[in-house]
Amino acid sequence: MRDFVAKKVQAVPPSGIRRFFDIAATMDDVISLGIGEPDFATPPSIVRAGIDSLESGATHYTSNSGIVELREALSDHLFGLYGVRYDPATELLITVGVSEALYLAFAATLDHGDEVVVPEPCFVAYNPEVILAGGTPVNVCTTVEDNFQVRADMVREVLTANTKAILIGYPNNPTGAVMSRERLMDIAGVAEENDLLVISDEIYDRLVYGTEHVCFPTLPGMRQRTILLGGFSKAYAMTGWRIGYIAAPPPLLAAMRKVHQYTIMSAPTIAQYAALEALRHGEEAVQEMRARYDRRRRLIVDGLNSIGLTCFEPKGAFYAFPSIAATGMTDEEFSERLLMEEKVACVPGSAFGASGAGHVRCSYATAYSQIEQALERMARFAQRHG
Ligand SMILES: Cc1ncc(COP(=O)(O)O)c(C=O)c1O
């Protein structure tokens, strides 16, 4: 029989994260710092809004773009936070999480052979999504010396006649890095000079600590060449609702809506009503969760540094990304042995790209007391292997 699986699908390696979850799932008493989602439940009023929508009969498809109330609220939300205004009718699309939004951005803009510059370490889906859309990811490696921020000269170095877009994702998963305004301005310069599209994944925009998040399309000249991706999963603890959005200029938005219309139809109706409640009344819950993440962030960063696992200070998202060089192990070996010997699960940095090697990702979207215990176990481990 022929091999029916498409070559582009064969070209995508399986996720390096899954393997560790699969091992951890078979063990008792594991403390997981491996998870990339909030441990908090969705705030009650948001859950209630979802239930109310179902009970009031909102069980049908919605407009392809999403319910108009949500798009209007989102337009106001982005204007309120960043001073950038998107037209609810022609510039906003409600999606099945940022996952779908990424897929749409690539599917609607990439032709076979188009290259996308993807700084790494990065979210595990970026490269596969580019490949599945027929494009070619071109990775540039960020380093701890640069605070894991991408530099314009690194991007310039890899540009070719086929480069169509730059994908940036800050605050970053897995490093927790946030881009400074200056660095973003430099990237904007590269985009302008070389007529590139910028796809900006800002799913962690609300989770920054003691610094500002710069929304990429607010930079001079960038609004017309940026696809802004945002979501509800992280800030409102709504991962399971599967809801996100895209903001982009009308021609790009129309192209993505076309793909969305034929593949998805509309985002889940109940999740759209829940997201509307999140935008209307969720701010207090966001602030409260952020304050709790911040407390855990300080605990884990100080803890890791004190046991000799040097940790860059993350300014956003909910990940710490310490170097494990002191143990002399590879990140794969470190993660596997830490799990087996001390029952703490974290993710090897190389799962997020070659430049993540020598690091591990520790999520602090886990209870404070669990992080304390995990640090005790890791201290024992580091001492044994230091
Ligand atoms: C950087 C980044 N982008 C996108 C996503 C996907 O999020 P969503 O739940 O909105 O699909 C994640 C999830 O972990 C992420 O870390």
Side-chain angles (χ1 to χ4, degrees), residues 126-178:
Y126 288 166
N127 286 340
E129 292 225 39
V130 173
I131 295 168
L132 293 175
T136 306
V138 176
N139 293 123
V140 293
C141 296
T142 64
T143 61
V144 70
E145 289 75 27
D146 274 323
N147 293 327
F148 290 111
Q149 299 185 40
V150 60
R151 291 197 324 258
D153 61 298
M154 294 170 161
V155 176
R156 277 201 189 90
E157 238 167 63
V158 299
L159 296 180
T160 71
N162 295 326
T163 311
K164 193 161 211 180
I166 310 174
L167 170 63
I168 48 174
Y170 294 90
N172 181 265
N173 171 8
T175 63
V178 172

Side-chain angles (χ1 to χ4, degrees), residues 315-327:
K315 295 278 178 66
F318 37 56
Y319 308 106
F321 201 62
S323 162
I324 48 93
T327 63

Side-chain angles (χ1 to χ4, degrees), residues 251-303:
L252 284 169
L253 203 280
M256 291 183 280
R257 189 170 48 220
K258 199 196 287 183
V259 181
H260 172 80
Q261 178 180 359
Y262 290 126
T263 51
I264 302 294
M265 192 88 91
S266 57
T269 303
I270 152 176
Q272 294 191 49
Y273 282 99
L276 177 60
E277 168 65 18
L279 292 182
R280 285 184 175 159
H281 303 116
E283 189 54 28
E284 208 177 305
V286 172
Q287 303 289 352
E288 196 189 309
M289 288 188 275
R290 182 171 53 203
R292 291 177 65 184
Y293 288 133
D294 193 18
R295 215 173 137 246
R296 299 163 177 188
R297 179 180 73 103
R298 280 179 271 133
L299 170 71
I300 199 164
V301 172
D302 292 349

Side-chain angles (χ1 to χ4, degrees), residues 36 96-100 102 123 126 171 173 201 203-204 231-234 239 242-244 319:
V96 183
V98 172
S99 301
E100 190 215 346
L102 280 162
F123 178 44
Y126 288 166
N173 171 8
D201 175 358
I203 190 166
Y204 293 101
F232 295 84
S233 287
K234 313 292 176 172
T239 46
R242 311 307 307 124
I243 188 93
Y319 308 106

